[in-house]
Amino acid sequence: MRVVIAGSSGLIGTSLVASMRAAGHEVLRLVRRKAAAPDERGWDPYAGRIDSHTFDGVDAVINLCGAGIGDKRWDDARKQVLHDSRIVPAEVLSAAVVEHGVPTLVNSSGAHFYGDTGTRLADEDAPGGHTFMSRLTQDWEAATSVAQEGGVRVVLMRTAVVISPSGGVFGRLKPVFQLFLGGKLGTGEQFFPWVSLDDVVSAYRFVVEHDDIRGPVNVAGPTPVTNAEFTKAVGTALHRPTPWVVPAFALKTLLGAEMAQELLLTGPGLTPKVLESHGFHFMHPALPSALTAAVA
């Protein structure tokens, strides 16, 4: 297949490009500068510009664009960046696949679509939440409406926290735990949705190759854990004790009340019903396996 990927330089994108090519697919990367390599195509989503012939003979477009949710403290300006960096590229690509007759659009989304699920587990049929992150994710998915109404097969990847050997949340936590400072956040009873980088990449390739999958897809490990369970598992993987508790007020002081509450003190519990019902095989179905791979 011939696949165009936007956001190919990030944590997921870098590995996905390599995986798609290893599987025999041709990959073209959208870059926000003048194309400098045979596999690059330039674009400027905010200007609505994409290099001519980018979509010639393309079977699928994968959109991974979006500024990092936890990279900076949230204020009104940062929230606008988080919104625009997701909605604008999704809208531009949604219109482009219709205009050029591309049959499939795979668009990033997030586990926070569901908000705080309490003690419940959410499959793809569960309703959306009402927090900032929930509304943002719902807007992100709605930005593909032009493609959906135009008959394009649209897949919405509601991805959990990615466990990776480098970068991402685990990359930030690793030195903290190695310094014997690891501990649960707040009560530790909140869900902590997770998925290994290997399985995220495989899931994206899987939905591209299976044209009977459309709509929302939970990309999360099939064994949900709480924050306390996650903390203990990280400590075990790194051979460090995790006796500490980081109180909610400290996180709210450090990050701001809204950001701390939505990203750390509450969380959705996800079940990957769609992937499992279509026969997807998780390389790391349990958290210890994902952490062992990340540490190695």
Side-chain angles (χ1 to χ4, degrees):
M1 302 173 76
R2 195 175 209 210
V3 180
V4 168
I5 299 181
S8 62
S9 62
L11 179 67
I12 295 174
T14 302
S15 295
L16 181 58
V17 169
S19 176
M20 295 292 287
R21 287 174 174 164
H25 303 302
E26 179 186 0
V27 177
L28 301 175
R29 299 180 294 120
L30 286 182
V31 295
R32 299 190 192 189
R33 51 175 169 74
K34 185 176 180 179
D39 69 334
E40 293 182 348
R41 300 291 185 272
W43 79 318
D44 181 351
Y46 294 95
R49 180 189 63 78
I50 306 177
D51 284 356
S52 59
H53 306 295
T54 292
F55 301 103
D56 290 355
V58 168
D59 299 290
V61 171
I62 299 175
N63 176 29
L64 301 170
C65 295
I69 291 295
D71 289 355
K72 296 181 180 179
R73 188 182 174 110
W74 293 353
D75 55 20
D76 289 344
R78 183 60 183 175
K79 285 183 175 181
Q80 194 64 50
V81 169
L82 297 177
H83 179 274
D84 293 349
S85 65
R86 285 163 171 75
I87 308 308
V88 173
E91 289 179 339
V92 170
L93 292 173
S94 182
V97 294
V98 173
E99 178 183 354
H100 296 279
V102 178
T104 297
L105 171 64
V106 180
N107 199 73
S108 289
S109 183
H112 286 282
F113 175 93
Y114 305 102
D116 179 21
T117 63
T119 58
R120 296 179 294 105
L121 293 175
D123 63 23
E124 290 84 355
D125 296 322
H130 304 285
T131 62
F132 164 71
M133 280 299 303
S134 299
R135 294 191 301 270
L136 173 60
T137 308
Q138 291 162 36
D139 289 346
W140 198 2
E141 295 187 358
T144 67
S145 61
V146 169
Q148 296 182 52
E149 293 164 4
V152 175
R153 179 176 73 97
V154 177
V155 186
L156 304 166
M157 305 291 273
R158 295 174 181 170
T159 304
V161 175
V162 179
I163 306 299
S164 165
S166 60
V169 169
F170 184 69
R172 297 174 186 172
L173 288 177
K174 187 175 179 180
V176 175
F177 277 72
Q178 288 176 325
L179 291 172
F180 297 88
L181 296 175
K184 68 180 182 180
L185 306 179
T187 66
E189 296 174 356
Q190 67 274 27
F191 277 117
F192 189 91
W194 66 275
V195 65
S196 73
L197 179 61
D198 290 329
D199 286 324
V200 171
V201 169
S202 294
Y204 270 90
R205 197 176 73 238
F206 186 84
V207 300
V208 167
E209 296 171 345
H210 288 72
D211 59 11
D212 57 337
I213 299 177
R214 64 175 62 230
V217 174
N218 286 349
V219 187
T223 53
V225 299
T226 64
N227 173 262
E229 292 167 334
F230 176 81
T231 299
K232 183 177 180 180
V234 173
T236 298
L238 295 175
H239 307 292
R240 296 292 190 273
T242 55
W244 311 112
V245 177
V246 184
F249 78 84
L251 293 170
K252 292 179 179 180
T253 300
L254 179 64
L255 301 176
E258 186 179 30
M259 184 176 181
Q261 185 70 19
E262 292 193 28
L263 297 187
L264 300 177
L265 297 173
T266 60
L270 270 62
T271 56
K273 184 179 74 172
V274 170
L275 285 175
E276 291 187 316
S277 68
H278 284 81
F280 179 78
H281 173 72
F282 282 89
M283 186 178 299
H284 303 291
L287 179 60
S289 171
L291 292 172
T292 297
V295 170

